[in-house]
C-alpha cells in the first residue's frame, strides 16, 4: 500500500488501514427517524407507501401516498422531488416513479422517471436515468416540463455549475467527470477507471473528492484532477467490490468491501483513514 500527496490545493495521507469481515457500505441502513431532506424547521420523511412533511414540533403538515418506497428527497423553491423504489418488479426493475410535489400541500405536480436527482433552485431539478438503453440527465421546471437534457448520468454536484461523476456500469467504462452546460453541451473532464464510483465528497471550495477504484482523486472546478492517495495497485479487482468515501471530521474514510467468491454473502472490508489538509 502506498500513500501519496497531491500536487494541488488539497493533500491527504493514509494514517490507518484495517481489514475485517463485515457488511458492505450500502447495507448500512438509514438511522430510524432520519429525514430524507430538511429545510429550516421543515423535514421530509419517507416510509413504504407514504411521503410526509413535518414541522419543528413533529406535527404532520401533509402526507402524500405513493406506491413504492421513498429513497431520496430534494427541495427547490416551492417544490420537492422524491425518487422512489418499486415494491414490485416492473418493466423498470425496482425503479419507481420520481414524484414532483408541491411543498405547501403535498399535491402531485408531475410523475417523472429517474433514479438520481439534484435541486437546481427556483423549483427546478435535474433527474438522471441509466439502464434499458438510457444514459441521460434531464432538467425540469417547477411544473415538471423538460427544459434541457444531456447524454450523461451519475452523481450530481451542484453549486459551481453542474458537474457529474458519471456511472455507466460498463466494462471497459467510458465514465468521466464532466460539466453540463445549457443546450445539452457536455464538457469532458478526466476519465475514470471505475464503472460504479461511489458518492463523492464535495469540499467547501467546490473540489470533488472521489474514490476511483483504489485511488482517491481530487477534481477541481475547472475539471483539473490529481491523485490524493493511492490505496493499492491499479486495475480490476479479482472479485466484485462495493466502495464508499465519506468525510470524517477533518479527514476522510475510504471503504472497499470485496465479496467472497465461495460465499457471496460474505465480504472482506478494508477501511482506510486519511488526513486531509489544504496547501499550495
Amino acid at each position: 500500500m502506498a500513500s501519496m500527496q497531491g500536487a494541488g490545493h488539497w493533500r491527504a495521507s493514509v494514517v490507518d488501514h484495517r481489514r475485517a469481515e463485515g457488511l458492505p457500505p450500502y447495507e448500512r441502513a438509514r438511522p430510524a427517524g432520519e429525514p430524507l431532506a430538511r429545510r429550516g424547521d421543515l423535514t421530509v420523511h419517507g416510509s413504504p407507501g407514504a411521503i410526509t412533511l413535518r414541522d419543528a414540533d413533529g406535527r404532520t403538515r401533509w402526507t402524500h401516498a405513493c406506491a413504492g418506497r421513498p429513497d431520496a428527497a430534494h427541495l427547490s423553491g416551492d417544490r420537492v422531488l422524491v425518487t422512489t423504489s418499486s415494491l414490485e418488479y416492473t418493466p423498470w426493475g425496482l425503479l419507481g416513479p420520481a414524484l414532483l410535489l408541491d411543498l405547501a400541500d403535498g399535491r402531485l405536480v408531475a410523475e417523472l422517471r429517474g433514479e438520481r436527482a439534484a435541486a437546481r433552485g427556483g423549483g427546478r431539478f435535474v433527474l438522471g436515468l441509466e439502464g434499458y438503453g438510457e444514459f441521460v440527465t434531464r432538467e425540469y421546471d417547477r411544473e415538471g416540463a423538460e427544459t434541457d437534457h444531456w447524454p450523461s448520468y451519475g452523481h450530481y454536484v451542484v453549486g459551481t455549475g453542474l458537474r457529474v461523476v458519471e456511472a455507466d456500469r460498463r466494462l471497459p467504462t467510458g465514465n468521466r467527470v464532466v460539466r453540463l452546460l445549457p443546450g445539452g453541451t457536455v464538457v469532458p473532464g478526466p476519465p475514470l477507471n471505475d464503472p460504479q464510483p461511489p458518492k463523492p465528497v464535495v469540499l467547501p471550495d467546490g473540489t470533488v473528492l472521489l474514490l476511483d477504484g483504489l485511488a482517491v482523486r481530487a477534481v477541481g472546478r475547472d475539471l483539473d484532477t490529481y491523485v490524493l492517495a493511492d490505496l493499492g495497485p491499479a486495475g480490476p479487482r479479482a472479485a466484485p467490490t462495493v466502495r464508499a468515501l465519506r468525510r470524517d471530521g477533518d479527514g476522510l474514510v475510504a471503504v472497499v468491501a470485496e465479496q467472497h467468491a465461495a460465499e457471496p454473502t460474505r465480504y472482506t472490508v478494508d477501511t482506510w483513514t486519511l488526513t486531509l489538509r489544504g496547501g499550495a
Side-chain angles (χ1 to χ4, degrees), residues 89-177:
Y89 197 82
T90 73
W92 280 98
L94 294 177
L95 179 64
L99 304 175
L100 181 61
L101 307 176
D102 189 301
L103 187 60
D105 57 16
R107 70 177 176 87
L108 180 65
V109 177
E111 184 174 299
L112 308 171
R113 180 70 65 185
E115 184 175 0
R116 290 178 181 159
R120 293 281 280 157
R124 298 178 302 136
F125 299 88
V126 289
L127 181 61
L129 186 61
E130 188 269 339
Y132 297 93
E134 298 276 0
F135 189 75
V136 63
T137 295
R138 295 183 173 90
E139 184 179 64
Y140 295 95
D141 66 16
R142 61 187 298 275
E143 300 304 325
E146 184 179 327
T147 56
D148 211 337
H149 65 273
W150 301 265
S152 181
Y153 167 86
H155 300 286
Y156 301 110
V157 179
V158 179
T160 54
L162 177 58
R163 286 172 290 171
V164 185
V165 178
E166 292 186 326
D168 62 8
R169 294 195 295 186
R170 297 178 181 176
L171 285 175
T173 181
N175 285 341
R176 292 179 175 270
V177 181

Side-chain angles (χ1 to χ4, degrees), residues 21-268:
E21 299 298 304
L23 296 175
Y26 66 78
E27 292 190 8
R28 292 167 187 163
R30 180 189 301 273
E34 181 180 328
L36 298 176
R38 182 187 302 272
R39 177 192 289 170
D41 293 337
L42 298 178
T43 54
V44 181
H45 295 260
S47 59
I51 303 161
T52 303
L53 183 71
R54 298 176 187 165
D55 61 22
D57 297 323
R59 292 175 297 196
T60 298
R61 294 285 188 91
W62 51 256
T63 297
H64 181 90
C66 65
R69 179 185 296 104
D71 295 323
H74 307 271
L75 295 165
S76 176
D78 60 349
R79 298 289 189 257
V80 55
L81 180 65
V82 181
T83 54
T84 71
S85 294
S86 173
L87 299 178
E88 298 179 356
Y89 197 82
T90 73
W92 280 98
L94 294 177
L95 179 64
L99 304 175
L100 181 61
L101 307 176
D102 189 301
L103 187 60
D105 57 16
R107 70 177 176 87
L108 180 65
V109 177
E111 184 174 299
L112 308 171
R113 180 70 65 185
E115 184 175 0
R116 290 178 181 159
R120 293 281 280 157
R124 298 178 302 136
F125 299 88
V126 289
L127 181 61
L129 186 61
E130 188 269 339
Y132 297 93
E134 298 276 0
F135 189 75
V136 63
T137 295
R138 295 183 173 90
E139 184 179 64
Y140 295 95
D141 66 16
R142 61 187 298 275
E143 300 304 325
E146 184 179 327
T147 56
D148 211 337
H149 65 273
W150 301 265
S152 181
Y153 167 86
H155 300 286
Y156 301 110
V157 179
V158 179
T160 54
L162 177 58
R163 286 172 290 171
V164 185
V165 178
E166 292 186 326
D168 62 8
R169 294 195 295 186
R170 297 178 181 176
L171 285 175
T173 181
N175 285 341
R176 292 179 175 270
V177 181
V178 303
R179 181 179 295 279
L180 307 185
L181 299 179
T185 299
V186 178
V187 179
L192 303 178
N193 298 309
D194 196 334
Q196 278 288 283
K199 182 178 179 180
V201 171
V202 183
L203 300 179
D205 67 351
T207 300
V208 176
L209 305 183
L210 56 98
L211 185 57
D212 182 24
L214 290 178
V216 180
R217 300 182 183 274
V219 182
R221 294 185 180 188
D222 296 327
L223 303 183
D224 51 304
T225 183
Y226 53 93
V227 175
L228 279 177
D230 184 357
L231 306 180
R237 305 279 279 191
T241 60
V242 181
R243 300 174 176 88
L245 182 69
R246 68 177 186 271
R247 194 76 186 268
D248 184 24
D250 294 331
L252 295 170
V253 173
V255 183
V256 175
E258 184 170 300
Q259 188 181 68
H260 288 209
E263 298 183 53
T265 59
R266 293 184 58 201
Y267 288 80
T268 297

